[in-house]
Amino acid sequence: MDQSSSHESYRPLTLVAELTYRCPLRCVYCSNPRERRIPAGPEIDTRSWQQALTQAEGLGVMQAHFSGGEPLLRSDLTTLVAHAQELGLYTSLITSAIGLTRERLAELVLSGLDHVQISIQGLSEADALQTAGRIGLSQKLSAMAWVRALDVPLTLNVVLHRDNIEQVPGLIALALEMGAARLELANTQYLGWALENRSHLLPTVDQIARARAIALAEQQRLRGRLELLFVLPDYHAGVARACMQGWARRYIVISPDGLVLPCHQAHSLPGLDFERVTNRPLAEIWRYNRGLNAFRGEAWMTEPCRSCERRSHDFGGCRCQAFALTGRIDATDPACHLAPDHGTVTAALSQPPAAAGEMVQLRYRRMPRNC
């Protein structure tokens, strides 16, 4: 459904520049799409990314997150950061830190990099090997030290799941030790690769309760020293969330081949057409593209969303999760306790964890199909 997006409510503030899907890690919960319904093209070049950044700033975007895959695999990363800095954008590097050197980090900071987010899989190399398919914790810790030595704000990111959620106290201690300004304890979102591995990754209700209680207590104790964010998983929240602050309202995601998207996985949804930033101006795509307009406003909503008092807060929840669990892109997000399909979530939560010693076959991330 076409709806004009010129209204202030659809003003984008953040550009997520997914520079590449290539990555040295194979995380079992990777947010890159497992498969795409729109065939991929080649990665867009430096000039195309520079033009996209310029056009995004013209739309009102204030910050650029350089992500992937692993953005360090792009040889032009420093050039792109410098261009964003010239535009006055706040720049963040979202990285595994695998392959990062102190010299390259210094170049990025000199070019205008404002912030670095480094992810770890847990407190040991064994955690890294099991979750990401390779070790690398020691290199990540070194990279964190370099970030702080260069006086750049550091965020430590940890995707929580059944195998590492009991490490929350140690993860908080590590964030303090490394001088992080922010710790994101982000429970797994069960889409794509994470949905494939859900039976192994999904924490128990008791695990979530314990971890959340610790995190909330530490938030108070560390106020002013560490910004601590504990993201309650959708499956345990009982309500839908405003994914990416609402479909195509505040975020622009551009995939490695230039597709302009409302979120990381939208090109996996059927029946939606998205356009490449290399084909026409970003402002026109943002305002008039049918895929971006598909779930703006409320006209698309069915019950119970259509009459729900939360509809202007959660915007019907996550479209990708709705499709993954129901097969319908316009369904109420089953994370909501009012959703007709909420039973798919409660059924997943009721599944007992694997018994001690039971072999679990994890599916590790690989390059998306059609890429």
Side-chain angles (χ1 to χ4, degrees):
M1 57 195 69
D2 287 334
Q3 302 173 30
S4 173
S5 62
S6 59
H7 190 277
E8 176 66 16
S9 63
Y10 303 135
R11 176 177 177 240
L13 300 178
T14 300
L15 169 65
V16 179
E18 294 189 305
L19 301 182
T20 182
Y21 285 145
R22 293 172 289 140
C23 186
L25 303 182
R26 299 187 296 134
C27 296
V28 296
Y29 47 66
C30 182
S31 63
N32 288 165
R34 188 173 62 83
E35 59 183 340
R36 296 175 43 153
R37 294 178 184 270
I38 300 175
E43 292 181 4
I44 60 176
D45 60 18
T46 305
R47 181 173 176 78
S48 296
W49 273 118
Q50 289 174 319
Q51 291 174 339
L53 288 162
T54 299
Q55 293 178 39
E57 190 276 334
L59 268 173
V61 163
M62 302 174 68
Q63 52 189 346
H65 296 173
F66 294 101
S67 181
E70 177 47 68
L72 292 171
L73 293 175
R74 287 282 300 220
S75 61
D76 58 358
L77 177 59
T78 300
T79 300
L80 297 179
V81 169
H83 186 72
Q85 192 275 335
E86 291 170 2
L87 293 168
L89 300 178
Y90 184 89
T91 55
S92 293
L93 174 63
I94 315 300
T95 179
S96 70
I98 299 297
L100 181 64
T101 65
R102 184 165 188 159
E103 292 73 23
R104 191 174 189 200
L105 178 62
E107 290 177 358
L108 287 164
V109 173
L110 187 62
S111 72
L113 185 64
D114 293 303
H115 167 260
V116 177
Q117 175 181 302
I118 295 176
S119 60
I120 65 172
Q121 287 73 42
L123 293 172
S124 72
E125 293 288 12
D127 294 321
L129 183 61
Q130 166 139 340
T131 303
R134 65 171 289 171
I135 62 173
L137 179 62
S138 61
Q139 182 170 354
K140 293 169 181 283
L141 296 178
S142 294
M144 291 180 211
W146 301 335
V147 172
R148 296 304 302 125
L150 291 168
D151 199 28
V152 175
L154 170 68
T155 292
L156 174 59
N157 172 269
V158 189
V159 178
L160 296 180
H161 50 83
R162 184 184 302 163
D163 287 342
N164 68 3
I165 196 168
E166 305 290 353
Q167 298 178 14
V168 164
L171 293 168
I172 295 172
L174 177 63
L176 291 169
E177 178 186 348
M178 302 309 300
R182 178 182 173 93
L183 171 62
E184 293 184 355
L185 298 172
N187 279 279
T188 304
Q189 178 80 356
Y190 293 98
L191 297 170
W193 296 105
L195 185 58
E196 288 284 323
N197 294 297
R198 186 180 64 182
S199 62
H200 176 75
L201 295 173
L202 190 64
T204 66
V205 173
D206 288 344
Q207 282 183 309
I208 291 290
R210 288 194 298 271
R212 187 174 186 232
I214 292 169
L216 291 177
E218 291 292 82
Q219 279 179 344
Q220 296 299 318
R221 184 178 73 86
L222 298 172
R223 189 178 300 274
R225 293 178 60 196
L226 175 70
E227 183 182 0
L228 198 165
L229 179 65
F230 182 90
V231 182
L232 191 67
D234 287 7
Y235 281 32
H236 294 78
V239 294
R241 298 187 186 280
C243 182
M244 305 289 284
Q245 297 184 28
W247 180 278
R249 282 173 168 80
R250 291 288 180 259
Y251 281 82
I252 301 174
V253 178
I254 300 182
S255 70
D257 61 342
L259 277 181
V260 180
L261 304 167
C263 68
H264 302 78
Q265 303 234 359
H267 45 8
S268 300
L269 298 176
L272 297 179
D273 293 323
F274 298 106
E275 299 173 72
R276 290 188 170 86
V277 72
T278 49
N279 290 349
R280 69 164 167 163
L282 181 60
E284 293 183 12
I285 296 174
W286 178 256
R287 293 187 176 97
Y288 305 119
N289 174 258
R290 294 182 63 86
L292 297 183
N293 276 304
F295 298 109
R296 285 170 168 159
E298 299 175 4
W300 65 272
M301 292 182 180
T302 57
E303 294 293 353
C305 292
R306 184 182 291 267
S307 58
C308 179
E309 62 183 12
R310 287 180 51 85
R311 67 185 182 278
S312 61
H313 300 283
D314 61 32
F315 310 110
C318 175
R319 297 300 87 219
C320 298
Q321 184 159 261
F323 176 70
L325 296 180
T326 73
R328 304 189 312 278
I329 61 175
D330 62 347
T332 298
D333 186 341
C336 178
H337 71 283
L338 297 174
D341 300 291
H342 185 59
T344 60
V345 170
T346 57
L349 290 172
S350 68
Q351 292 296 312
E358 181 179 341
M359 294 295 293
V360 177
Q361 185 65 42
L362 291 170
R363 296 194 63 182
Y364 286 91
R365 182 258 197 204
R366 60 184 182 275
M367 284 291 284
R369 296 173 189 172
N370 303 324
C371 284

